[in-house]
Amino acid sequence: MSTITPEYIRSLFDPIASEGEWTPFVDAITEDVKWAIAREGDKDLRSAAGLYNKQEWLDLVRAPLIASLDMDKGFTMAVTNFDVIGNKVVAECYGTATQKNGKPYNNKYCWILIFNDERRIVEIREYLDTALVYETRVGNGALDAMGLA
């Protein structure tokens, strides 16, 4: 059984905070992850709430958000606090970016991550300001691009 350590968690999140590099974190997620944003159940693609697997999260949550942001200015997420409890991590995070329309995208997150014995993420429960996600998607044409406007 692998042990989840604070150092391991920092190795996943520090690249996001320092350079906006998500690869170590995304690579740690299993393909069949159960990723619940704000709630379980049907997906609301306008606010991103719902239940996703990894590919769905990449295509239906992350890609529209990235398309709404001015990536020349970057998108970082810093962990402000986290606790490791066995194979579970509770992380409080703060994301900062600028939307393409010039408005700030500053969101607070609480992520509860469940790891398997191979130190891969098999479940995520994410809580965030879904109204801000919706506003960002509407204000930057992401819903139009998804055929949801």
Side-chain angles (χ1 to χ4, degrees):
M1 179 180 207
S2 295
T3 303
I4 303 302
T5 64
E7 293 75 24
Y8 179 66
I9 298 307
R10 285 186 199 97
S11 78
L12 301 179
F13 282 107
D14 283 355
I16 300 170
S18 64
E19 56 204 68
E21 177 54 59
W22 287 75
T23 302
F25 178 78
V26 172
D27 286 350
I29 301 169
T30 61
E31 295 302 318
D32 61 348
V33 68
K34 180 181 168 187
W35 193 323
I37 299 176
R39 63 186 168 113
E40 292 189 23
D42 293 338
K43 296 169 185 64
D44 175 0
L45 299 180
R46 289 170 172 81
S47 68
L51 186 61
Y52 300 86
N53 65 32
K54 182 178 180 176
Q55 195 59 53
E56 290 171 331
W57 179 80
L58 288 168
D59 295 342
L60 301 174
V61 177
R62 189 177 195 313
L65 178 61
I66 296 301
S68 299
L69 301 177
D70 182 348
M71 292 309 291
D72 290 337
K73 295 182 179 178
F75 174 37
T76 59
M77 188 174 71
V79 175
T80 56
N81 186 32
F82 72 90
D83 290 303
V84 177
I85 308 148
N87 71 334
K88 181 190 297 184
V89 173
V90 178
E92 296 175 89
C93 310
Y94 186 75
T96 58
T98 301
Q99 298 177 45
K100 286 185 174 176
N101 63 12
K103 293 181 179 180
Y105 179 81
N106 300 329
N107 211 336
K108 291 184 178 181
Y109 306 83
C110 178
W111 283 9
I112 301 167
L113 311 171
I114 309 297
F115 290 81
N116 64 15
D117 290 344
E118 289 79 40
R119 300 194 329 169
R120 306 241 3 247
I121 302 167
V122 296
E123 183 177 342
I124 301 172
R125 293 189 301 271
E126 178 179 355
Y127 303 94
L128 71 158
D129 183 351
T130 55
L132 178 58
V133 173
Y134 175 80
E135 176 187 304
T136 300
R137 288 178 172 203
V138 168
N140 296 281
L143 292 181
D144 291 329
M146 296 173 74
L148 296 171

